[in-house]
Amino acid sequence: MYNFDLKKVHDLISFKDICTTDSEYLKEASHLPHIELETDALYVLASKMSVLFTGKLRYYRYVIESEINRHINAATKLLESDCSEELTKFILKKTRESVLTLANEANRQLDFLDNSGLAWKNITSGSPVVSDFSKSAIELVVYMHYIIAELARCWLELQDRYAYVIGTAGCYDVSLFYTANFNKFPDKEFDIKRSEKYNEESRNFKKCRTDCSFLYDNEEYFAIAIQEFTNKLKQHKLINDTVDIKTMESLFRGRSCRTTIQWLGDNPVLTWIIKGLCSDTDPTITTWPEGTSKWDVVSNRFLDKNGKPMPNIRTEKERKTKTSIVNEVVKALVDYK
């Protein structure tokens, strides 16, 4: 079974000599079994080929690209067959740790080999100078830059594909991956961009965490406010009298939550209660994880009258006859903030 630790990439960082001439490397590269992504890519890495100025670099480019694709393929295949959040979290955690460990190792080598950045500036300039003496050192510098770019592609591909697990607010974009981890900006010579099919492909896997919840951030009056809120819902026959306060509290703690509550009222009433509590401008409650849609929380935490997950009720029109009930329920939490 694939271990998801990118061990092969770790082994390849050493950049060992396996041939003696550029022509031999190119011949070996032509026989490599190149591994393509089995899904439409979210990110593509466009390399400036003139920077990969030796046959050895061209050979290792194919090898590293294939290993990154192998990792992405293995992860997506496994997670499509078993989409449990626990497994998704495990694969993402292991990938992120491996990516950052290897990228930091490559970056440490760059600090040692090219602390001033002059070698990289030379080879990426319009008129680079490469002598027999400097060739191997510059070659290794280029390779480390390339490895970091491929590792960034690996993480971004899986991060965006399964962002519902970590929340979109906790995701890197290309620039932040570099600046947050290495205090440098991405290399334009190894340009990582969203693919043309990014938006189309992302619609196929857009999900939310099924353990999402609301956060009522009011430590001092939390228990009192939630009790009054629960009482109001019961008073107007919107939830079962059997729903206890601890169950309702778990829904508003801003933590992983598996609680579901059956909604007995009309759907528009719940819609406008949520709109009143979780407005875009001055919310009394927010969603957890940050960035989760409030309607995804509703769908995961509330059941309809038939005991099925609540559908997306975002567009339900306000019922004027129910406005006083909505305001009364909303007020139960708002007044304690």
Side-chain angles (χ1 to χ4, degrees):
M1 180 180 175
Y2 191 78
N3 290 323
F4 300 100
D5 57 3
L6 290 166
K7 184 179 185 303
K8 188 64 180 291
V9 177
H10 176 270
D11 296 340
L12 292 167
I13 282 184
S14 59
F15 200 49
K16 293 178 181 177
D17 290 326
I18 62 170
C19 299
T20 56
T21 67
D22 279 350
S23 60
E24 288 177 353
Y25 274 111
L26 293 175
K27 183 178 179 180
E28 287 294 321
S30 68
H31 297 303
L32 285 174
H34 190 243
I35 299 172
E36 302 283 351
L37 282 184
E38 295 171 357
T39 59
D40 287 328
L42 299 182
Y43 288 88
V44 292
L45 172 55
S47 299
K48 185 178 180 181
M49 298 306 290
S50 61
V51 176
L52 299 166
F53 68 103
T54 66
K56 184 178 181 181
L57 283 169
R58 301 290 176 98
Y59 170 85
Y60 272 99
R61 169 180 172 262
Y62 278 108
V63 176
I64 293 294
E65 181 182 62
S66 289
E67 285 307 315
I68 295 300
N69 288 346
R70 186 198 306 275
H71 182 94
I72 295 169
N73 288 342
T76 54
K77 183 177 181 179
L78 180 60
L79 295 178
E80 284 171 6
S81 63
D82 180 356
C83 58
S84 69
E85 286 185 10
E86 291 73 17
L87 181 60
T88 306
K89 289 177 186 177
F90 172 77
I91 298 300
L92 288 178
K93 181 176 183 291
K94 197 156 189 180
T95 296
R96 186 177 187 277
E97 289 174 349
S98 298
V99 161
L100 292 180
T101 296
L102 293 171
N104 276 298
E105 172 58 27
N107 194 52
R108 279 192 293 272
Q109 292 205 40
L110 283 176
D111 287 341
F112 175 75
L113 294 164
D114 191 27
N115 184 258
S116 64
L118 292 178
W120 180 246
K121 289 179 182 178
N122 171 32
I123 199 62
T124 57
S125 69
S127 53
V129 177
V130 181
S131 65
D132 290 339
F133 176 76
S134 64
K135 178 181 176 181
S136 60
I138 295 175
E139 199 177 38
L140 191 53
V141 167
V142 171
Y143 185 55
M144 293 304 151
H145 278 269
Y146 177 73
I147 280 182
I148 292 173
E150 278 289 9
L151 289 166
R153 177 176 73 89
C154 179
W155 173 246
L156 292 167
E157 184 76 30
L158 291 178
Q159 168 200 263
D160 284 21
R161 196 169 290 276
Y162 303 103
Y164 65 92
V165 171
I166 53 181
T168 55
C171 291
Y172 290 119
D173 56 25
V174 177
S175 181
L176 187 59
F177 178 86
Y178 276 80
T179 56
N181 295 303
F182 316 114
N183 292 320
K184 60 182 62 173
F185 289 96
D187 300 315
K188 64 180 184 296
E189 293 76 14
F190 299 130
D191 192 17
I192 308 167
K193 291 183 177 179
R194 287 183 172 183
S195 69
E196 291 181 358
K197 289 191 173 182
Y198 182 94
N199 291 333
E200 177 185 342
E201 178 68 7
S202 64
R203 284 196 293 269
N204 296 329
F205 54 80
K206 185 178 180 181
K207 300 179 182 178
C208 74
R209 286 181 59 160
T210 57
D211 64 340
C212 54
S213 65
F214 288 114
L215 171 61
Y216 180 56
D217 191 10
N218 184 2
E219 184 176 350
E220 185 175 2
Y221 297 110
F222 180 86
I224 297 174
I226 296 297
Q227 180 69 72
E228 186 169 332
F229 178 76
T230 305
N231 291 343
K232 291 294 182 183
L233 293 176
K234 290 180 179 179
Q235 177 186 331
H236 294 290
K237 308 299 182 183
L238 300 175
I239 62 173
N240 281 309
D241 289 337
T242 55
V243 176
D244 60 51
I245 186 64
K246 294 298 181 184
T247 298
M248 189 63 73
E249 285 181 351
S250 68
L251 180 59
F252 291 92
R253 287 288 188 188
R255 300 173 186 166
S256 176
C257 179
R258 298 292 180 183
T259 295
T260 55
I261 296 174
Q262 188 172 23
W263 186 255
L264 303 180
D266 295 333
N267 287 355
V269 175
L270 181 56
T271 299
W272 288 88
I273 288 173
I274 297 301
K275 285 185 175 183
L277 291 172
C278 197
S279 69
D280 294 331
T281 54
D282 186 25
T284 300
I285 61 173
T286 55
T287 59
W288 181 92
E290 185 180 352
T292 303
S293 164
K294 52 180 170 276
W295 307 115
D296 283 333
V297 178
V298 170
S299 294
N300 281 281
R301 300 281 70 83
F302 286 93
L303 305 176
D304 64 17
K305 294 176 182 178
N306 298 316
K308 296 181 179 180
M310 187 69 69
N312 191 326
I313 58 173
R314 177 178 63 86
T315 59
E316 293 283 354
K317 297 186 181 300
E318 186 176 12
R319 303 284 176 84
K320 296 298 183 182
T321 57
K322 303 291 185 178
T323 299
S324 61
I325 294 175
V326 169
N327 291 341
E328 195 176 325
V329 174
V330 169
K331 194 171 182 288
L333 292 187
V334 171
D335 281 357
Y336 283 97
K337 284 291 278 186

